[in-house]
Amino acid sequence: MIRTSSVRRLRAAIGVAVAAAALSACGGAPAHQGAAAVVGDERISIAQVEARVSAVREGGTAQAGAQPNEQPGLARHAVSELILDKVIDRALADRRLTVSASEIGAARSADVRTVGGDAKLIELLRTKQGVPANAVDDFYRQQIGLTKLAGGQDPNGPDGDAAIRKALVEAGTALHIEVNPRYGTWDTTRIGLADTQDDWLPRSVRTL
């Protein structure tokens, strides 16, 4: 089992604990027709969201006879993740921080050794985090980025937690995030979609 800090579990509450019923798809999409969300001047399409959801579902039925492992609020979770990618990127850019491919590779390799193989890691991330196989490196980019946003402080401690929150709230505010009503609304202060039941930054340390 992977031992992780709360930073590497920050994303767990996003979209997973949402109400089962999504909001109606009717109503105007923000800024551009067919958009799931608009983040700054970048558009996240509904097609992107549907592709991510399909990738997670297909991973759950890859083995013969396996039943689909449907996570509640999977589409909203996908929207949250795609938005969060951009918020973290903006927060890092504002602080002139970067995440390198070698850092991502090292973190992933460490977890591969811990769980006993890349296939096991991919399946754990899919079932526990809703991460499709083609987005595993993005998952590590997020988590390393969040650690860097702690500014050298313990990301699990109150100071590191506060630094991460401040960076993401500032970035989210600057980006003027709009979300298609079918997925909810982006709550800048909670750093996630509205109507989630849990705070996005859990205080307790969890494991995959």
Side-chain angles (χ1 to χ4, degrees):
M1 181 176 291
I2 302 174
R3 289 186 175 274
T4 60
S5 70
S6 62
V7 168
R8 299 187 65 178
R9 295 287 297 169
L10 295 179
R11 69 208 315 278
I14 303 178
V16 177
V18 297
L23 296 178
S24 171
C26 62
H32 303 285
Q33 186 175 5
V38 177
V39 184
D41 59 359
E42 296 186 66
R43 180 179 179 274
I44 297 170
S45 70
I46 291 174
Q48 285 177 269
V49 174
E50 292 175 345
R52 186 180 178 104
V53 169
S54 293
V56 174
R57 287 174 176 161
E58 288 166 6
T61 56
Q63 297 181 348
Q67 294 298 314
N69 187 355
E70 184 74 5
Q71 298 184 18
L74 191 56
R76 290 187 63 179
H77 179 73
V79 173
S80 291
E81 289 302 294
L82 293 168
I83 293 173
L84 184 61
D85 282 341
K86 299 183 184 303
V87 174
I88 292 174
D89 285 348
R90 172 61 181 263
L92 290 170
D94 287 347
R95 286 156 180 77
R96 298 183 180 180
L97 298 171
T98 59
V99 176
S100 69
S102 62
E103 289 174 314
I104 293 169
R108 179 171 179 168
S109 295
D111 281 349
V112 166
R113 291 191 295 272
T114 299
V115 303
D118 195 57
K120 281 190 176 180
L121 176 65
I122 290 171
E123 182 62 7
L124 276 171
L125 291 175
R126 186 192 69 80
T127 58
K128 300 294 186 179
Q129 302 280 5
V131 178
N134 62 3
V136 170
D137 283 352
D138 294 334
F139 168 83
Y140 283 100
R141 182 178 294 104
Q142 278 192 4
Q143 309 318 307
I144 295 167
L146 290 167
T147 300
K148 291 190 174 189
L149 291 175
Q153 303 174 95
D154 178 4
N156 296 312
D159 292 338
D161 177 270
I164 293 170
R165 287 178 180 275
K166 182 176 184 295
L168 297 182
V169 168
E170 289 176 354
T173 300
L175 287 169
H176 303 292
I177 299 164
E178 297 179 79
V179 180
N180 188 310
R182 74 185 290 182
Y183 304 111
T185 58
W186 184 261
D187 188 326
T188 302
T189 58
R190 292 185 68 234
I191 317 167
L193 287 176
D195 304 321
T196 54
Q197 297 173 354
D198 297 325
D199 193 2
W200 182 67
L201 295 178
R203 292 292 184 177
S204 60
V205 176
R206 302 182 185 181
T207 58
L208 282 175

